Amino acid sequence: MIAVIGAGAFGTALAVSLARNGPVVLWARDKDHVKEMQATRQNARRLPEITLPQAVTVSTDLACLADADIVLVSVPAQKLRAFLKSHGSKLAGKPVVACCKGMERGTGLRPTQVIAEHVGDAVPAILTGPSFAQDIAKGLPTALTLACADEPMGEHLQARLSTPNIRLYRTTDVTGAELGGALKNVIAIACGVAIGAGLGESARAALMTRGFAELVKVAETYGANADTLAGLSGFGDLVLTCTSEQSRNYRFGQSIGAGETFDTGLTVEGAATAQALEEIARDAGLDLPITHVVTGLVRGELNVRDAMDKLLQRPLKEE
């Protein structure tokens, strides 16, 4: 049996898709939310209009993890450590697949590193790539990256987690896959700002291209394979997140660019990741101009005009 921790939109969508292969337990901490889902067979709060298959059991009881041979953890990156500190012992000895994208503020750690710290004998993996929850839940075709340093376990997870509409590609470059998924959210905010402020499609294309260069620079600094960043978890995810209003990071950037308020109840991983990356870049001596201005915009230290001027007035150089 497969267990999915976290009944947000993405966790619910994965549970719906994986139920085509067999029984799935979907865990949520909010008892009222769970009762709603049990009664209506829908997650109206996070993924409306999608019916939960009968193969999905919704529960607040983490005892269900005892029967799970694979655990997918779909909680926000900034809340992952708190969950694992409280419940990591229940995941001991199991393959634990992170289904979140980001870098932890204060430590700069990636999801699999946080899992390794808190789950004894865990085999950490990451599921990442260009995907929206609605598409997955509706059964639309999606291709994702499954990254696991343990190659035999990666092959096992690839076989178990592939579904009729989700095609998984496997890699052992966990670092590259995680960094691609985390950093593209920062660039998506920048692209949203450009469109929200009326700076045009050409500006977005430039930000995506130069943003990709920042992704590769950071990944190589951490010893990742640059080819991984050219795949689904890097370039593929970057394209999707920077061009669609389904992306919360992109919409968040749009709201900044347009001078509008944004729903504070929605998780925007790129905002926290930008600030975590800013700290890392400073310590490592990395020049990440787009990340720098996104951090300034998120903190309210820069306005859009100042951010644009900072990028356009940089010294001319070879590409």
Side-chain angles (χ1 to χ4, degrees):
M1 186 185 71
I2 295 173
V4 179
I5 303 298
F10 196 65
T12 303
L14 288 173
V16 169
S17 185
L18 289 166
R20 297 183 175 99
N21 294 346
V24 178
V25 172
L26 176 63
W27 179 88
R29 61 181 175 81
D30 187 323
K31 292 182 179 180
D32 291 336
H33 189 196
V34 168
K35 287 179 181 178
E36 288 174 19
M37 288 188 283
Q38 290 171 336
T40 64
R41 300 305 298 172
Q42 289 186 330
N43 185 352
R45 298 187 188 185
R46 294 289 183 258
L47 201 63
E49 301 178 5
I50 299 296
T51 299
L52 299 176
Q54 289 305 309
V56 175
T57 300
V58 187
S59 177
T60 58
D61 187 0
L62 282 171
C64 65
L65 295 179
D67 296 325
D69 57 332
I70 298 174
V71 180
L72 278 63
V73 183
S74 185
V75 301
Q78 305 307 319
K79 296 182 179 179
L80 179 60
R81 182 181 296 276
F83 173 81
L84 294 176
K85 284 178 77 171
S86 298
H87 307 295
S89 61
K90 298 180 180 67
L91 281 62
K94 300 177 185 290
V96 180
V97 183
C99 302
C100 53
K101 301 171 183 178
M103 300 175 74
E104 188 178 54
R105 286 200 65 188
T107 67
L109 295 180
R110 306 182 304 276
T112 59
Q113 294 175 308
V114 178
I115 291 170
E117 277 192 11
H118 291 285
V119 183
D121 299 324
V123 182
I126 183 90
L127 184 63
T128 184
S131 55
F132 289 137
Q134 282 281 354
D135 293 347
I136 291 175
K138 290 178 180 177
L140 299 177
T142 305
L144 299 173
T145 296
L146 187 284
C148 183
D150 182 325
E151 191 162 13
M153 178 57 74
E155 292 176 356
H156 172 69
L157 292 172
Q158 181 184 36
R160 288 287 307 279
L161 301 179
S162 293
T163 73
N165 69 301
I166 299 178
R167 178 177 175 83
L168 297 185
Y169 287 83
R170 188 180 71 254
T171 182
T172 57
D173 184 10
V174 177
T175 301
E178 286 188 294
L179 288 174
L183 305 187
K184 58 85 187 178
N185 284 332
V186 179
I187 309 306
I189 292 174
C191 289
V193 171
I195 298 301
L199 301 182
E201 298 287 350
S202 298
R204 171 161 59 183
L207 286 166
M208 288 174 65
T209 306
R210 296 311 305 161
F212 182 72
E214 290 192 18
L215 264 66
V216 172
K217 184 185 296 186
V218 174
E220 289 183 332
T221 299
Y222 276 90
N225 187 336
D227 289 343
T228 303
L229 276 294
L232 291 165
S233 59
F235 178 74
D237 213 355
L238 180 74
V239 170
L240 182 69
T241 313
C242 292
T243 59
S244 174
E245 292 194 6
Q246 287 192 65
S247 163
R248 284 171 294 185
N249 292 280
Y250 178 74
R251 294 201 314 273
F252 176 65
Q254 276 188 311
S255 71
I256 293 174
E260 299 171 350
T261 58
F262 189 78
D263 184 354
T264 56
L266 295 176
T267 300
V268 182
E269 292 285 16
T273 297
Q275 296 174 78
L277 186 57
E278 177 85 350
E279 296 167 5
I280 292 169
R282 183 176 59 247
D283 294 342
L286 291 175
D287 182 24
L288 306 176
I290 298 174
T291 299
H292 178 69
V293 298
V294 168
T295 301
L297 288 166
V298 167
R299 290 176 176 165
E301 297 167 354
L302 290 176
N303 59 40
V304 175
R305 170 58 63 180
D306 291 338
M308 185 174 67
D309 288 346
K310 276 183 173 291
L311 293 176
L312 292 178
Q313 293 173 8
R314 285 172 53 80
L316 300 176
K317 63 177 185 177
E318 214 172 38
E319 187 171 32

